[in-house]
Amino acid sequence: MIMKKLTLSALALTTAFLMAGCDSQDKKAAAGGEASTVLRVGSTGQSYPSGFKQDNKLVGFDVEVTETIAKDLNYKIEWVTADFSGLMGQLEANKLDTVANVVAITPARKEKYNFADVYSYYGSQIVTHKDNTNINTLDDLKGKTVAGVLGSNHLNNLKKAFADGSVTIRTYETRDGAMNDALSKRVEGYVNSRPILLAEINKRNLPFKLVGDPLVIEEVSFPFHKDEKGDKLREQFNAELTKMRADGRLKEISVKYFGEDITAAPQAH
């Protein structure tokens, strides 16, 4: 009788383990064959309209594009917020799978990461306060101070545009710090992405004006690690971006946040 009870108990335990295993496999299969479906993605949460907080929820163009891709691939996004230089540091330390925050494709970054296909285009643009009536062209900025966000490629573009050192560059940890100093006229200029600046100006009726043409047009995409997981994610993201571009969703999300299509390459003038 005791042996019979032990046998039944053993069978029950074995069945439980088998059921748990089946359940685990079912979840794995439902998630596209991945044991873990969580992707850690970085955003500053302060980059209107690319990635910002609204009603305590992270929203924006880059955020929605990423969430759409993740949903179609059965991934769950775990958003990690920090300043831009901090995000890139976490990516380099392998604490993030990618960054969805207007990451420009540069030669230096391509040495470290493989980028997905380009999904948006931004011009590095300088603005100044409308009260600065004597600043209308890039040459007018010589001898002046221009603010930018630490770690952003806009600063590199600014340095190249004024390689003679005729412009003083002041760096900030956050976009708000750089923008506020330009608004309060503590600096004469502020550099950021043209579409972002225009969206911010329109949203808040900011007293900024554009100074000259963009310094350069940049291609933006998702950086992935140069390893097996990174290669797989890059291929999956590319496939989804192709679908979103073909069915119009990519353009639709862009128009929703910017009022224009920034997903198509600008036409040469």
Side-chain angles (χ1 to χ4, degrees):
M1 192 71 176
I2 293 173
M3 286 298 292
K4 186 175 180 182
K5 286 182 178 178
L6 286 172
T7 302
L8 288 171
S9 297
L11 281 169
L13 282 170
T14 302
T15 302
F17 278 124
L18 285 170
M19 290 298 290
C22 289
D23 185 51
S24 176
Q25 291 299 318
D26 287 343
K27 288 179 179 177
K28 183 176 178 181
E34 291 297 312
S36 173
T37 62
V38 176
L39 291 182
R40 287 173 59 82
V41 183
S43 171
T44 64
Q46 296 182 341
S47 299
Y48 178 86
S50 300
F52 61 101
K53 293 286 183 71
Q54 184 173 282
D55 299 326
N56 211 32
K57 183 179 181 342
L58 191 63
V59 296
F61 171 69
D62 290 64
V63 172
E64 189 164 330
V65 169
T66 310
E67 291 280 9
T68 301
I69 291 171
K71 183 179 178 182
D72 288 348
L73 292 173
N74 291 315
Y75 285 126
K76 176 179 171 55
I77 300 291
E78 181 183 317
W79 289 102
V80 177
T81 55
D83 59 69
F84 189 79
S85 59
L87 290 176
M88 297 309 290
Q90 288 192 60
L91 181 66
E92 189 165 354
N94 220 23
K95 294 180 179 178
L96 295 176
D97 292 302
T98 191
V99 174
N101 202 99
V102 197
V103 182
I105 302 173
T106 67
R109 287 172 182 165
K110 284 174 75 172
E111 287 182 10
K112 295 180 180 179
Y113 312 106
N114 287 326
F115 280 83
D117 294 339
V118 177
Y119 67 88
S120 56
Y121 298 82
Y122 293 77
S124 283
Q125 177 72 50
I126 300 175
V127 294
T128 190
H129 198 286
K130 285 182 176 179
D131 289 349
N132 295 324
T133 54
N134 61 327
I135 301 177
N136 298 293
T137 68
L138 294 176
D139 281 342
D140 295 334
L141 287 166
K142 291 183 177 179
K144 306 294 194 297
T145 300
V146 178
V149 179
L150 188 66
S152 76
N153 199 50
H154 301 298
L155 287 182
N156 294 329
N157 295 331
L158 185 61
K159 290 173 185 174
K160 290 175 185 175
F162 296 95
D164 58 357
S166 58
V167 164
T168 300
I169 298 172
R170 189 174 297 175
T171 61
Y172 296 76
E173 291 288 338
T174 66
R175 186 178 68 164
D176 287 348
M179 183 186 294
N180 288 336
D181 268 12
L183 285 170
S184 61
K185 291 180 276 191
R186 285 190 284 269
V187 296
E188 287 83 12
Y190 164 51
V191 65
N192 204 328
S193 297
R194 182 185 175 102
I196 288 176
L197 286 167
L198 290 174
E200 191 77 72
I201 290 168
N202 291 333
K203 178 192 177 189
R204 297 169 55 187
N205 196 27
L206 299 178
F208 280 143
K209 64 179 180 179
L210 305 182
V211 181
D213 293 324
L215 303 178
V216 67
I217 301 295
E218 295 184 316
E219 298 179 334
V220 169
S221 193
F222 302 98
F224 291 104
H225 295 289
K226 292 185 176 183
D227 56 24
E228 188 177 346
K229 181 181 180 183
D231 290 344
K232 180 178 180 181
L233 287 172
R234 180 173 172 269
E235 288 178 10
Q236 291 178 326
F237 270 57
N238 279 347
E240 292 304 317
L241 284 170
T242 298
K243 291 177 188 175
M244 291 176 68
R245 192 178 292 280
D247 63 23
R249 284 180 295 164
L250 198 60
K251 178 181 178 179
E252 184 181 327
I253 297 171
S254 173
V255 172
K256 173 181 176 180
Y257 288 101
F258 291 100
E260 61 179 336
D261 183 15
I262 68 164
T263 69
Q267 298 298 311
H269 295 291

